[in-house]
Amino acid sequence: MKYVIGVDLGTSAVKILLVNQQGEVVHSVSKSYALIQEKTGYSEQNPEDWVAQTTSGLLELLSGFDGAAEDIEGISFSGQMHGLVLLDENNEVLRPAILWNDTRTTAECQQIYDAVGNERLLEITKNPALEGFTLPKILWVQKHEPEIFAKAKSFVLPKDYLRYRMTGKLEMEFSDAAGTLLLDISKKQWSTEICELLNIDPNLCPPLVYSHDEVGTVTAEYAAASGLAPATRVFAGGADNACGAIGSGILEDGKTLCSIGTSGVVLSYEASSDKDFGGKVHYFNHSAPDVYYTMGVTLAAGYSLTWFKETFAPDESFDDLLAEVGTVPVGSNGLLFTPYLVGERTPHADAAIRASFIGMDSSHRRKDFARAVLEGITFSLNESIEIFRESGKEIDTIVSIGGGAQNKDWLQMQADIFNAKIVRLTSEQGPGMGAAMLAAYGSGWFASLKECADAFLKEDAQYEPNPANVENYQKLFSIYQEVYGQTKAMNEKLLAFRK
Ligand SMILES: Nc1ncnc2c1ncn2[C@@H]1O[C@H](COP(=O)(O)OP(=O)(O)O)[C@@H](O)[C@H]1O
Ligand SMILES: O=C(CO)[C@@H](O)[C@H](O)COP(=O)(O)O
């Protein structure tokens, strides 16, 4: 039997899947790492932690594997998007990585609009300047840490750095490059125009490859450290949302995905780059060759739940914390939560907004708060679904993945709030499975990713919307939508009091 490995370098943890030729996950390991949040709006990680935890995860995975390391034909990656890893001339990391949920760069977004112009930026990149994207982070380092920036010879994204440490070779692939705001997404080339307008040396941008491209094999040094065989073929991999789409079979028109990880995403397949969403949703290159996807992003989706657990139930598991949410009625007995803990992206690109609980009553107990948190996250994702429906997309079935797909009450809530059938696959680990599928396709096991998806992906359960709940949630959703406008100015005044 032959195998492939999919490595999902997430924000909360690296998840490693060993997958056989039938698409079965025969072994998986997860290793977590911390976020560094020194100030409000800041979010960083140490790239060495990603490497150390992946290496230790691979060692654990291989020690529990009864085949030979040589049976593992290929490895590929899925990575948290947009995070800036700056490297010097020896490819040494110059500073901690600045992550996708770091929103310190509002001034740099304005700098981009001033230099490039809103319309031209949209023409080239198909996206607006958002704090989370990589280019504003590069400009922030250029302005605030000039001595570090002077030493920078290249930049990569999180999983590209991890892959570099395995192969000794530096590349970026199209699906992650799309989230830098430096890629001409239709031409699939770095935009020298944007680089010149912002005084960025285009040589900082690494060579571009496709997600399924073989970029080398594992170095002898990394093989010795991880237990992998040196002949293991390494494939470039993709942005976690692009890989999540592959791992959920979002490979043709009309397919929609909801992913609740640290962030939350509603994603839709696009065959071409010529649709016009006016920048309301992100528009990126897929990890399937030469196609695209659009998506709306909730910055703090699973992160809101994690925050709630760590603050109010640090010693309990997610399952224990959520055990009673099914006994609380729709609407959490009048308690409403907006998940703006670190600002928001879709539909409100706003780094200053913060979260609210509205309607707290002395009768509310922890289970009401827990349900309100789940409902608020799901309402936020529903705002992206509304944008897609308003653009004419028909959304009647949604594949749900990520940590959020582990809870049955939450899956039913998604069906009721999205008013669509929710499908859960046998593995909710879409991005890791997508990465494994890129390795399987790259290794020549299948003629296309679609063929691989047909062989590997299986439905586990379906959740149908309950009409009475749908009606109540529609009323609650319109109240939810008012909260942003009602709290925006107050949050701006509170900015001065934040850490
Ligand atoms: N049993 C569970 N039930 C519901 N949500 C969960 C559960 N376990 C984890 N989560 C949520 O899933 C999130 C992690 O999902 P994951 O897809 O692993 O994220 P990432 O890829 O960002 O590291 C956590 O933030 C948490 O809120
Ligand atoms: O910024 C985005 C997408 O634009 C995030 O979706 C990141 O890619 C992180 O993903 P998770 O760790 O939540 O999976």
Side-chain angles (χ1 to χ4, degrees):
M1 178 70 90
K2 298 286 179 198
Y3 301 84
V4 284
I5 290 179
V7 177
D8 173 26
L9 190 72
T11 312
S12 62
V14 58
K15 286 140 277 184
I16 309 177
L17 307 182
L18 181 67
V19 176
N20 68 17
Q21 282 173 299
Q22 277 83 52
E24 292 156 348
V25 177
V26 293
H27 199 19
S28 68
V29 171
S30 174
K31 296 266 170 193
S32 60
Y33 28 72
L35 277 181
I36 309 163
Q37 291 174 302
E38 280 183 353
K39 284 190 198 177
T40 183
Y42 280 39
S43 179
E44 301 187 344
Q45 268 170 348
N46 186 349
E48 205 52 46
D49 291 346
W50 301 330
V51 178
Q53 291 299 72
T54 305
T55 310
S56 130
L58 283 168
L59 273 173
E60 192 177 316
L61 187 92
L62 286 158
S63 71
F65 172 50
D66 42 20
E70 287 72 21
D71 296 338
I72 300 168
E73 276 200 20
I75 182 167
S76 193
F77 308 84
S78 151
Q80 49 163 303
M81 300 174 67
H82 316 294
L84 174 67
V85 184
L86 266 185
L87 303 176
D88 72 8
E89 59 188 353
N90 301 313
N91 292 336
E92 297 286 341
V93 173
L94 281 164
R95 71 175 318 293
I98 308 180
L99 304 194
W100 59 275
N101 52 359
D102 185 301
T103 54
R104 74 182 75 172
T105 56
T106 304
E108 287 71 26
C109 290
Q110 193 53 51
Q111 184 187 346
I112 296 168
Y113 285 132
D114 293 343
V116 184
N118 302 21
E119 275 183 28
R120 188 69 188 130
L121 185 72
L122 260 184
E123 264 167 31
I124 300 173
T125 70
K126 301 286 287 180
N127 289 286
L130 297 181
E131 284 85 353
F133 293 172
T134 324
L135 175 59
K137 302 179 197 308
I138 297 176
L139 297 175
W140 187 91
V141 180
Q142 190 182 43
K143 192 190 306 169
H144 295 275
E145 297 176 346
E147 66 301 340
I148 290 180
F149 195 72
K151 291 187 206 151
K153 284 288 168 293
S154 46
F155 83 96
V156 283
L157 300 170
K159 62 109 178 47
D160 302 317
Y161 180 70
L162 177 66
R163 194 182 58 239
Y164 160 73
R165 290 288 294 271
M166 287 190 188
T167 61
K169 293 200 193 140
L170 211 58
E171 303 90 5
M172 202 183 284
E173 50 65 48
F174 297 119
S175 70
D176 240 356
T180 62
L181 217 60
L182 278 167
L183 188 78
D184 183 323
I185 81 151
S186 301
K187 292 186 184 149
K188 297 205 270 309
Q189 292 167 359
W190 292 116
S191 170
T192 45
E193 180 180 335
I194 296 181
C195 287
E196 274 163 24
L197 289 168
L198 288 160
N199 197 21
I200 289 174
D201 180 355
N203 294 317
L204 272 185
C205 305
L208 289 164
V209 294
Y210 277 101
S211 293
H212 63 275
D213 276 346
E214 184 172 346
V215 293
T217 50
V218 175
T219 62
E221 190 190 349
Y222 196 79
S226 63
L228 288 171
T232 314
R233 299 165 74 185
V234 181
F235 300 91
D240 59 1
N241 291 301
C243 287
I246 291 179
S248 316
I250 311 296
L251 289 163
E252 59 195 325
D253 266 329
K255 296 259 180 162
T256 309
L257 169 73
C258 170
S259 160
I260 301 180
T262 306
S263 67
V265 155
V266 174
L267 180 153
S268 174
Y269 177 91
E270 306 291 346
S272 65
S273 64
D274 56 9
K275 285 207 188 148
D276 184 10
F277 289 89
K280 276 196 198 169
V281 285
H282 307 8
Y283 206 145
F284 292 143
N285 304 68
H286 207 312
S287 280
D290 302 325
V291 292
Y292 298 82
Y293 66 92
T294 41
M295 70 173 177
V297 177
T298 294
L299 279 187
Y303 184 70
S304 290
L305 182 63
T306 298
W307 161 80
F308 184 73
K309 187 181 107 54
E310 282 174 1
T311 310
F312 301 107
D315 301 324
E316 287 178 46
S317 67
F318 282 106
D319 288 344
D320 288 344
L321 173 66
L322 302 179
E324 288 184 290
V325 295
T327 66
V328 178
V330 162
S332 304
N333 291 311
L335 185 61
L336 199 58
F337 173 71
T338 55
Y340 308 139
L341 287 173
V342 292
E344 192 48 302
R345 279 219 211 138
T346 313
H348 310 294
D350 185 342
I353 193 72
R354 284 297 178 272
S356 307
F357 277 111
I358 305 284
M360 276 182 278
D361 183 272
S362 60
S363 67
H364 286 142
R365 294 291 169 263
R366 197 185 69 178
K367 61 184 179 179
D368 301 290
F369 283 85
R371 182 163 185 118
V373 168
L374 301 189
E375 289 181 335
I377 297 163
T378 318
F379 284 142
S380 169
L381 290 163
N382 196 44
E383 301 228 55
S384 295
I385 291 186
E386 285 236 312
I387 296 174
F388 285 133
R389 286 193 172 131
E390 279 160 13
S391 80
K393 279 183 193 283
E394 206 153 295
I395 300 180
D396 49 20
T397 304
I398 298 172
V399 180
S400 185
I401 60 165
Q406 291 182 40
N407 183 280
K408 289 191 171 65
D409 291 314
W410 203 349
L411 288 162
Q412 184 59 48
M413 195 183 284
Q414 290 175 39
D416 294 340
I417 292 180
F418 300 155
N419 193 13
K421 180 168 77 186
I422 298 295
V423 173
R424 190 191 187 282
L425 302 175
T426 45
S427 164
E428 98 287 345
Q429 302 222 24
M433 179 54 83
M437 288 165 66
L438 284 169
Y441 170 52
S443 297
W445 292 6
F446 298 95
S448 68
L449 282 165
K450 175 82 178 56
E451 211 178 88
C452 180
D454 291 342
F456 274 23
L457 306 180
K458 285 159 199 82
E459 267 188 37
D460 176 46
Q462 295 191 350
Y463 297 80
E464 293 286 348
N466 167 324
N469 293 349
V470 170
E471 202 184 324
N472 278 325
Y473 273 131
Q474 278 166 354
K475 291 181 197 144
L476 287 157
F477 180 59
S478 62
I479 305 171
Y480 167 90
Q481 286 185 297
E482 284 179 43
V483 181
Y484 174 78
Q486 300 282 352
T487 57
K488 181 174 166 53
M490 281 186 268
N491 273 298
E492 277 157 12
K493 288 187 204 151
L494 286 169
L495 249 178
F497 297 92
R498 287 187 202 145
K499 198 168 130 195

